[in-house]
Amino acid sequence: MDYSLVTAAAQAAGLCPPGQEAAWGRRVQGLAVDLHMIAAQVAQDTARLESAAKFTALLEKVEVEESSRRGLLTLRTADGAEEIRTEQQETDRGRQMIERARSLVGRWVLVYRYNEPVGRQKSVRMVAHLMDVGEGVIAVNIAKNVLLEAAGGNAAKAKTAWEDAGLRDAGTVTADELDKARAALRGE
């Protein structure tokens, strides 16, 4: 039993009016169950983010596919254009992601992407999260994590590419600077 959920639910319910203990108890119980469901969803979303591929891109366009009713995001990366999808527009999460993406068109974003299986041997690239990195600058700690992932987790290789690109150890780097370091990893 997670008593912290019950405590949080009791605080949300407020003081128990005298003589209404049973109704108040049912309200606390309902709120605790709601909090438990929210916590389970947060855990699922967090796990998806932790396993997602991360990369920076310019968000060029957002459309809704007629066939699937999913948002279709067109991203410009150093490697060219890439398209990824949202959940269906009719879902809360899909609608929220489409609205968020539309608000970021023309901006550099840190994309958290995962592959969703659709059948036995096919998967679709999906967006788990978009983080606005502005007009082309990225915090150094985020940029280092993106480069580490691009290096396949090889910290020495990522560090060498970072240093060879002459990137700073504090503050921000531009998306172009990060893309140059990523290109160096690929031997371009």
Side-chain angles (χ1 to χ4, degrees):
M1 167 64 88
D2 187 356
Y3 290 106
S4 63
L5 287 178
V6 176
T7 302
Q11 288 176 340
L15 295 175
C16 176
Q20 295 184 18
E21 290 81 5
W24 182 84
R26 287 189 297 277
R27 175 147 170 70
V28 169
Q29 182 180 6
L31 289 169
V33 169
D34 289 346
L35 289 172
H36 175 75
M37 297 304 293
I38 291 168
Q41 186 63 54
V42 168
Q44 181 183 14
D45 291 346
T46 302
R48 182 178 292 137
L49 286 176
E50 288 175 353
S51 67
K54 296 172 266 318
F55 60 95
T56 56
L58 179 68
L59 180 53
E60 291 185 333
K61 182 170 55 170
V62 179
E63 303 172 296
V64 176
E65 287 182 311
E66 287 298 320
S67 59
S68 69
R69 304 300 303 153
R70 292 179 184 269
L72 181 65
L73 284 56
T74 303
L75 304 164
R76 178 68 52 195
T77 69
D79 301 326
E82 177 174 341
E83 292 182 334
I84 61 175
R85 289 163 174 75
T86 68
E87 291 186 22
Q88 282 138 341
Q89 184 180 31
E90 291 76 23
T91 66
D92 287 340
R93 290 166 52 132
R95 185 173 39 262
Q96 289 171 358
M97 183 58 73
I98 291 168
E99 289 172 9
R100 173 144 177 79
R102 284 182 174 150
S103 75
L104 295 171
V105 168
R107 310 248 330 148
W108 284 91
V109 293
L110 179 61
V111 180
Y112 289 76
R113 186 198 75 217
Y114 67 99
N115 294 330
E116 182 176 280
V118 289
R120 288 190 151 169
Q121 297 186 8
K122 187 178 177 188
S123 64
V124 176
R125 292 177 173 192
M126 300 286 292
V127 61
H129 184 66
L130 294 172
M131 190 166 105
D132 185 3
V133 294
E135 299 291 333
V137 295
I138 304 164
V140 164
N141 61 335
I142 292 172
K144 284 183 176 182
N145 285 334
V146 169
L147 194 61
L148 179 61
E149 184 169 313
N154 184 327
K157 191 174 177 181
K159 183 178 182 199
T160 299
W162 184 271
E163 290 170 352
D164 288 351
L167 300 181
R168 301 167 280 297
D169 284 328
T172 61
V173 298
T174 68
D176 287 340
E177 288 173 321
L178 178 58
D179 285 341
K180 287 177 186 171
R182 290 174 67 216
L185 282 174
R186 295 186 300 269
E188 297 175 4

